Amino acid sequence: MLSGMMDLVQALGVSSTHYLQTHYSQAQGLFLWVSWAADLRNTFFIFFPLWFHLRPSVGIKLIWVAVIGDWLNLVFKWVLFGERPYWWVKETDYYNNTLPPYIQQYPMTCETGPGSPSGHAMGAASVYYTLVTSILSILTSKKKSGNRKSSSREWYLKKILWTLFWAVQVCVCLSRVFIAAHFPHQVVAGVITGMIVAEAFNRVRWIYSATMRTYLLTTFSLTSFAVGFYLLLKAGGVDLLWTMDKAQKWCSNPEWVHLDSTPFASLLRNMGTLFGLGLGLHSPLYGESVKKNAGGGTAVRAGSAISTLLLLHLFDSFKPPTHTAAIFYLLSFCKSATVPLVSVSIIPYCVSRVLSPGNKKAV
């Protein structure tokens, strides 16, 4: 009964993908760009550096929301065993008496993990929800009076920001369905769970004063739980990497199956990012840059943000070798840890040394 219902839901999802690909093929470039933009990598390489230098608390919250949200996404996927349209349509018996809809594949289609809930939709929802609520909180705290005019501006601002938020979510969901990476119900589930994670962190305060010990314990605990959960189910005869074989079998281009889309690549990438944030915030260089920033002000923050974005853009071009999985995972962890470490401590320290008034007088 349940299997039949899921087949029906997934068949409707495949029909949705076929409809979008048939009637909106001219928007292919836009859909592919949206899927690229919704990747959490852009949060770590773009949103985090910008917001950390503008408002450190928002930057810190973005990392925690993105990392914990993606970790939960991994656990949900391992529990829910969600199919993906591009392989389901090739294997299902649902179309025994009819011709299945033709589904085109793209370079971003052949992700290797389970499909439910959508990681892109969940990540986009959690990150943009955090940004919208943070911007509103900042502007509300700066409001000096409660007159009708300011209340009206605040009302319009809320409408604009939340309209943009939902526009982004719709675009992300449509893009993931269009490229046949997800069924519609998976992207909807991703948006809902992403918003729940973001709202939970809006109520959490301890992350802003977390010690290095907390970062270490959190990184170790989350990694241990995921690995332990995998080994426990594997010992019970459940292969949590069952999707790898399906991706390699049904992807129309073997080069589109990437090791960095595997569940463990995602896990180590996120844990490296969280660990690197802890290292950066508790680095002596960060303490020095905070002291110097008090004198450098806007120039130091702007210089740090621009320098960080440029350096991370170059750093992102480094791709860990994929010939050995263990080496790839280790280097992915190290690369991910380097991003917040550089953003939080090394670049701001160097820029503050150059731009702070005290150093100029010394020169």
Side-chain angles (χ1 to χ4, degrees):
M1 178 68 178
L2 181 59
S3 176
M5 290 181 60
M6 284 306 303
D7 281 345
L8 177 60
V9 170
Q10 288 168 163
L12 290 173
V14 168
S15 297
S16 301
T17 297
H18 178 71
Y19 179 85
L20 289 173
Q21 291 183 352
T22 302
H23 293 83
Y24 297 94
S25 58
Q26 71 279 7
Q28 171 185 327
L30 174 62
F31 284 130
L32 293 176
W33 180 84
V34 169
S35 272
W36 170 83
D39 194 288
L40 276 182
R41 179 182 59 186
N42 293 310
T43 297
F44 301 141
F45 281 81
I46 299 176
F47 289 147
F48 167 69
L50 283 174
W51 274 98
F52 183 82
H53 296 301
L54 178 65
R55 181 77 58 144
S57 60
V58 177
I60 292 171
K61 182 161 66 172
L62 277 175
I63 291 291
W64 278 92
V65 165
V67 167
I68 300 301
D70 208 42
W71 181 86
L72 285 171
N73 181 263
L74 170 65
V75 174
F76 288 152
K77 283 182 175 180
W78 277 351
V79 171
L80 297 176
F81 281 72
E83 304 276 356
R84 289 186 184 269
Y86 76 92
W87 74 57
W88 180 83
V89 74
K90 302 285 188 180
E91 295 185 340
T92 182
D93 296 329
Y94 185 83
Y95 301 104
N96 275 348
N97 300 321
T98 58
L99 189 67
Y102 171 72
I103 298 298
Q104 185 176 348
Q105 296 183 14
Y106 303 92
M108 285 183 281
T109 297
C110 303
E111 295 198 6
T112 58
S116 187
S118 166
H120 279 71
M122 186 171 174
S126 62
V127 167
Y128 283 92
Y129 188 96
T130 298
L131 290 177
V132 168
T133 54
S134 296
I135 291 172
L136 290 175
S137 177
I138 292 169
L139 295 178
T140 301
S141 66
K142 290 183 177 180
K143 189 174 66 173
K144 295 181 180 179
S145 62
N147 58 58
R148 183 177 299 177
K149 194 171 183 180
S150 62
S151 297
S152 177
R153 283 198 298 266
E154 183 182 343
W155 184 85
Y156 280 114
L157 179 62
K158 285 183 178 180
K159 293 295 182 184
I160 291 171
L161 288 177
W162 284 116
T163 299
L164 288 174
F165 169 82
W166 284 112
V168 169
Q169 305 317 309
V170 169
C171 288
V172 171
C173 291
L174 288 176
S175 73
R176 303 305 289 169
V177 174
F178 178 89
I179 67 173
H182 288 288
F183 296 101
H185 69 277
Q186 294 174 341
V187 294
V188 172
V191 171
I192 294 173
T193 50
M195 292 174 64
I196 292 174
V197 170
E199 180 59 29
F201 274 93
N202 280 343
R203 305 167 187 272
V204 171
R205 302 261 72 90
W206 60 264
I207 58 174
Y208 308 113
S209 57
T211 63
M212 189 63 222
R213 175 184 171 85
T214 300
Y215 278 96
L216 283 170
L217 287 176
T218 303
T219 302
F220 178 77
S221 299
L222 295 178
T223 304
S224 299
F225 179 89
V227 174
F229 186 54
Y230 167 78
L231 294 176
L232 179 64
L233 291 182
K234 187 175 181 179
V238 180
D239 181 15
L240 292 178
L241 300 182
W242 59 277
T243 56
M244 285 290 296
D245 292 336
K246 292 182 179 290
Q248 292 167 349
K249 180 179 180 180
W250 296 116
C251 187
S252 59
N253 188 337
E255 295 181 358
W256 294 347
V257 180
H258 301 293
L259 190 60
D260 63 358
S261 69
T262 60
F264 280 114
S266 171
L267 173 67
L268 292 176
R269 185 165 56 244
N270 289 318
M271 294 305 100
T273 300
L274 188 62
F275 179 67
L277 177 63
L279 286 178
L281 291 175
H282 294 89
S283 165
L285 297 182
Y286 175 68
E288 287 294 321
S289 66
V290 169
K291 293 178 183 178
K292 293 180 180 297
N293 193 22
T298 304
V300 174
R301 288 196 296 271
S304 297
I306 294 171
S307 300
T308 302
L309 289 175
L310 291 175
L311 182 62
L312 292 183
H313 177 72
L314 295 175
F315 185 60
D316 192 32
S317 63
F318 165 71
K319 305 298 181 184
T322 58
H323 58 273
T324 304
I327 294 177
F328 174 82
Y329 291 145
L330 176 61
L331 292 179
S332 294
F333 179 90
C334 295
K335 177 182 177 179
S336 299
T338 302
V339 171
L341 176 61
V342 167
S343 304
V344 168
S345 60
I346 298 176
I347 292 295
Y349 175 78
C350 294
V351 171
S352 64
R353 291 278 295 180
V354 174
L355 296 182
S356 62
N359 287 314
K360 291 181 179 179
K361 292 178 181 179
V363 173

